[in-house]
Amino acid sequence: MTQFIGAGAADATRPGAFVYRGPEDDPDLSLTVGLLLESSSYNFNVSYVAPDDITEESLKTIKVFAFPGGEDVDSSWEELEPVADRIRDFVSQGGRYLGFCLGAYLAGDSPGLALLPKGSKISAESDEPDAQVKDDRDTVIQVNWEFSSGPEAGKTVMNRWVYYQEGNLIKDFPETSTSLVIGRYSTTNHVAATINKYGNGWVGTTGPHPEANQTWFDLEKLTAPDGLQFEIGHDLIEATMSGGHNVKNLAVPKPGDGTDGTNPPSGGNGNNGTTGDNGNSGNNNGNPGNNGTSASPKAVESSGSRRMKNPLRFFFRR
């Protein structure tokens, strides 16, 4: 049954949003995405839905369908597959899809909703040999982000620390006027966040978790070197909802041009302009300041993405 929350649950003047919450999902993962949508400039009227709630009629009441982090691609797809065509039709007819981590995996096609541009391949960043994080623990990772909205609009922010747990990358993603890269993993320059047109609608994805709140960090005894990253999450929402308005493709940094952290532009001090938990910003060489978080998370060889392959299940999966 659809679960309505918030004082504005019956407010028809606010755009509607569905956030997926499967029968076995951790409610906290859905809730943080819902809160991000509610706190965006759109002030969405959020409902949490299971597969039985996803009908042609119910989808007519919303503007965006969001899929949060979760436990396992295969089991989630087994739940979602019976209503997959309805979600595809919703997007192709002008709706919006937002995928956070697991939701980004499911935007792909192996298995998934096949909402990404043809030929795009999705896999775990942590399985890459040169990845900053090489295991499936909850941690933080550095991301470069191309802002198109808010106070940072038009700016590229480098080496921003964001919550991460086995998030995806997208390979062979075409960079065009209707399929744009807006986030890259700072260490590898692999694609971390995207928007793309699908029919008459738009799709937004992110591997890292900009929706993560303080509870997530406290549960895992982590520090947020650059603070909570809701502004990145809100920018993803804005870029997707606007259909790419004012969005630019985030280019791969070139050594020595001031965007790779090795040679700041004239007048710059090498930091990314954000304030960490102890008032000191992380800088472009990967040091997050004096907050006690390691600049380079310890590399532990992964036996493969548990999200994709391991039959063991854990409650707090991101």
Side-chain angles (χ1 to χ4, degrees):
M1 179 178 293
T2 306
Q3 304 171 59
F4 295 98
I5 68 163
D11 185 355
T13 64
R14 296 163 58 194
F18 280 175
V19 176
Y20 186 79
R21 182 184 289 171
E24 299 181 7
D25 287 341
D26 175 3
D28 178 60
L29 303 181
S30 300
L31 179 61
T32 51
V33 170
L35 292 174
L36 187 73
L37 288 163
E38 287 187 326
S39 62
S40 74
S41 66
Y42 290 87
N43 188 24
F44 285 101
N45 180 23
V46 175
S47 303
Y48 298 91
V49 298
D52 289 347
D53 303 309
I54 302 170
T55 67
E56 291 182 13
E57 289 304 312
S58 69
L59 289 168
K60 291 177 182 178
T61 68
I62 64 168
K63 298 295 185 183
V64 60
F65 182 97
F67 202 108
E71 185 175 303
D72 177 77
V73 170
D74 290 333
S75 61
S76 294
W77 177 242
E78 185 176 346
E79 292 176 2
L80 198 65
E81 187 175 14
V83 295
D85 284 341
R86 296 172 190 171
I87 297 171
R88 292 189 195 101
D89 289 345
F90 162 74
V91 179
S92 68
Q93 292 167 11
R96 302 294 192 264
Y97 175 91
L98 285 168
F100 296 79
C101 198
L102 175 60
Y105 281 101
L106 288 169
D109 61 3
S110 59
L113 294 162
L115 297 175
L116 299 178
K118 188 175 182 179
S120 300
K121 301 178 182 66
I122 198 160
S123 59
E125 168 71 3
S126 55
D127 286 346
E128 296 297 303
D130 53 349
Q132 186 176 25
V133 177
K134 296 184 179 180
D135 53 62
D136 63 358
R137 64 200 162 104
D138 290 70
T139 184
V140 289
I141 199 167
Q142 286 177 294
V143 172
N144 302 339
W145 194 270
E146 185 74 30
F147 278 92
S148 63
S149 64
E152 303 281 2
K155 297 180 182 179
T156 303
V157 175
M158 309 297 291
N159 299 310
R160 185 72 65 88
W161 292 93
V162 184
Y163 197 104
Y164 177 83
Q165 197 275 317
E166 207 176 9
N168 68 283
L169 67 92
I170 303 178
K171 297 180 179 179
D172 299 328
F173 185 85
E175 297 179 42
T176 71
S177 61
T178 57
S179 56
L180 300 105
V181 174
I182 58 176
R184 293 183 182 274
Y185 294 103
S186 303
T187 298
T188 62
N189 289 316
H190 295 157
V191 174
T194 62
I195 63 169
N196 67 271
K197 193 172 184 181
Y198 180 85
N200 291 323
W202 283 79
V203 176
T205 73
T206 175
H209 286 281
E211 80 280 16
N213 59 23
Q214 191 60 47
T215 300
W216 288 31
F217 287 89
D218 292 344
L219 281 171
E220 299 297 332
K221 296 180 172 57
L222 295 172
T223 298
D226 290 324
L228 302 179
Q229 294 303 310
F230 298 149
E231 64 177 338
I232 284 181
H234 289 151
D235 190 65
L236 173 65
I237 293 170
E238 294 284 346
T240 306
M241 295 304 299
S242 72
H245 182 65
N246 288 332
V247 179
K248 297 188 300 182
N249 269 301
L250 175 58
V252 175
K254 298 178 181 178
D257 70 354
T259 63
D260 65 340
T262 61
N263 184 22
S266 177
N269 61 4
N271 64 34
N272 59 18
T274 60
T275 301
D277 289 348
N278 288 339
N280 294 328
S281 65
N283 57 35
N284 279 346
N285 63 13
N287 297 319
N290 63 353
N291 47 35
T293 300
S294 171
S296 299
K298 182 180 178 181
V300 179
E301 291 300 327
S302 171
S303 60
S305 169
R306 284 186 183 174
R307 190 181 305 282
M308 302 294 288
K309 304 167 187 173
N310 197 317
L312 296 177
R313 304 291 172 82
F314 298 86
F315 183 70
F316 285 110
R317 301 297 292 159
R318 304 299 184 196

